[in-house]
Amino acid sequence: PRDEQKLLTRVFPGTHPTEAETAVWNQVSAVLEEAHGILAELQSYNGAGQEIREAIQNPSDLQLQEKAWNAVCPLVAKLKRFYEFSLRLENALRSLLEALTSPPYAPMQHLEREQALAKQFAEILHFTLSFDELKMTNPAIQNDFSYYRRTISRNRLNNQQLDAENEVNNEMANRMSLFYAEATPMLKTLSNATTKFVSENKTLPIEDTTDCLSTMACVCRVMLETPEYRCRFTNTDTMLFCMRVMVGVIILYDHVHPVGAFAKTSKIDMKGCIKVLKEQDSNSVEGLLNALRYTTRHLNDDSTSKQIRAMLQ
């Protein structure tokens, strides 16, 4: 649609907040600033696999036990930071959803009026999918954390209190376990937050939220498949940004909309979106296709066409 074409040329360049957007923009901006550091830390997360293996193979060697424990503790402190960041991200998303769906404007008007917030919403999704792609390919995270928990419970049986327990108490450890057990923990956090937002705002038509998401998916798809826009992408990062945002809004839409993103009545052109992903280099999109395969709710419903399912096989 022409409106969306118009939006395209403006949503993704450097957008500055208007006065009305400033309060929310500042809150989200503080969270996004932290996001870069979180990604860098996760990227360099190597885990304590070696130390853990040696400790397990030599259970009576106390020195090796201590070495493994000392290697794992700072890593668990990092994992706790990532988890706590997910809660701040959830609050930021909530503020953006409130701003981008509040009456009396339609979703399209909101995205026109609040371009700086729309850009931040896109940046949150970009971070989320980047985080989850890194987490999915790093088995050390869960190995480290389960070793940490096993060691703590073993020491409890022997009545030994460990310093690190002050860092991560039992309740926090349980919440972190659930978070890291998810294939895509950040995306799951945002999906739950969006679903909760819709169910708590009973007076807000659900379409206001889903139309905002489907419009963003359309904007990204058109940018990716239209040569005149694509030639403006100066580097692959911009392409990746668009692809991640597109997949992110599709997944949120699929969690929130009663019939989901894959049904014939969906406002998202799923065939077009999947096609555009499959045309890219497979190394850069495999994680995104997996996110569509494994973190959507309605892909395997009867209402999903065989053709769409075949495209994601």
Side-chain angles (χ1 to χ4, degrees):
R2 208 173 58 251
D3 279 353
E4 272 143 16
Q5 305 279 5
K6 211 165 62 185
L7 234 192
L8 284 176
T9 52
R10 300 204 296 251
V11 163
F12 290 113
T15 30
H16 298 289
T18 59
E19 207 173 320
E21 296 171 279
T22 306
V24 173
W25 191 87
N26 286 339
Q27 179 211 337
V28 178
S29 203
V31 175
L32 284 169
E33 268 171 38
E34 211 182 321
H36 300 296
I38 296 277
L39 276 185
E41 279 194 70
L42 179 57
Q43 211 148 13
S44 62
Y45 187 104
N46 293 323
Q50 179 71 29
E51 291 88 341
I52 290 172
R53 262 193 311 280
E54 288 176 357
I56 290 171
Q57 283 161 4
N58 305 282
S60 53
D61 186 328
L62 292 179
Q63 215 172 350
L64 286 177
Q65 307 308 310
E66 198 171 330
K67 189 180 170 197
W69 180 249
N70 291 338
V72 161
C73 284
L75 294 171
V76 168
K78 249 184 208 187
L79 296 179
K80 181 189 177 199
R81 256 202 319 285
F82 299 163
Y83 168 71
E84 287 172 336
F85 181 73
S86 77
L87 305 178
R88 286 199 289 288
L89 199 69
E90 189 179 337
N91 288 333
L93 178 85
R94 196 184 174 82
S95 301
L96 287 173
L97 284 172
E98 277 166 11
L100 292 170
T101 57
S102 57
Y105 303 108
M108 195 68 209
Q109 290 170 301
H110 269 299
L111 293 174
E112 278 276 345
R113 292 168 57 91
E114 285 125 10
Q115 289 167 27
L117 298 186
K119 173 90 189 293
Q120 285 186 321
F121 190 77
E123 284 171 344
I124 282 183
L125 290 169
H126 176 250
F127 162 81
T128 299
L129 280 120
S130 307
F131 181 97
D132 287 346
E133 277 172 32
L134 288 170
K135 186 264 171 188
M136 264 176 156
T137 52
N138 195 338
I141 289 174
Q142 275 178 282
N143 294 343
D144 292 347
F145 196 61
S146 38
Y147 176 79
Y148 172 83
R149 296 209 75 182
R150 283 198 311 274
T151 308
I152 285 210
S153 41
R154 193 172 59 237
N155 287 347
R156 272 210 199 102
L157 292 175
N158 303 334
N159 287 329
Q160 284 175 295
Q161 182 78 14
L162 294 164
D163 294 347
E165 274 191 83
N166 308 329
E167 269 295 301
V168 178
N169 62 30
N170 205 31
E171 187 201 344
M172 171 61 89
N174 287 336
R175 292 208 305 263
M176 284 169 66
S177 272
L178 290 171
F179 178 75
Y180 288 111
E182 293 291 343
T184 52
M186 286 287 174
L187 205 45
K188 183 76 171 145
T189 301
L190 294 197
S191 301
N192 290 347
T194 310
T195 308
K196 194 174 162 201
F197 171 78
V198 168
S199 64
E200 283 174 2
N201 288 274
K202 299 259 187 290
T203 54
L204 185 75
I206 196 165
E207 289 74 28
D208 285 17
T209 305
T210 53
D211 286 0
C212 171
L213 298 170
S214 58
T215 303
M216 287 184 77
C218 177
V219 166
C220 293
R221 177 180 55 74
V222 175
M223 283 181 91
L224 289 162
E225 66 187 12
T226 314
E228 62 180 290
Y229 292 119
R230 277 184 61 167
C231 68
R232 291 188 204 168
F233 292 167
T234 43
N235 57 27
T236 49
D237 287 354
T238 319
M239 290 277 289
L240 259 176
F241 181 87
C242 262
M243 291 191 286
R244 286 187 180 127
V245 174
M246 181 177 79
V247 168
V249 285
I250 289 170
I251 289 167
L252 294 186
Y253 182 101
D254 195 54
H255 276 261
V256 173
H257 197 283
V259 295
F262 298 95
K264 278 195 174 69
T265 52
S266 158
K267 288 191 178 174
I268 295 179
D269 170 8
M270 283 307 300
K271 282 180 197 157
C273 291
I274 296 168
K275 184 170 170 283
V276 110
L277 286 174
K278 293 201 130 181
E279 284 166 358
Q280 315 307 320
D281 167 46
S282 63
N283 291 336
S284 59
V285 295
E286 198 48 38
L288 296 174
L289 291 168
N290 280 339
L292 289 176
R293 287 174 189 126
Y294 306 122
T295 54
T296 45
R297 278 177 69 178
H298 296 280
L299 175 61
N300 295 316
D301 289 6
D302 296 339
S303 56
T304 302
S305 76
K306 286 196 175 81
Q307 198 184 351
I308 287 180
R309 268 188 243 184
M311 287 174 89
L312 281 174
Q313 284 294 302

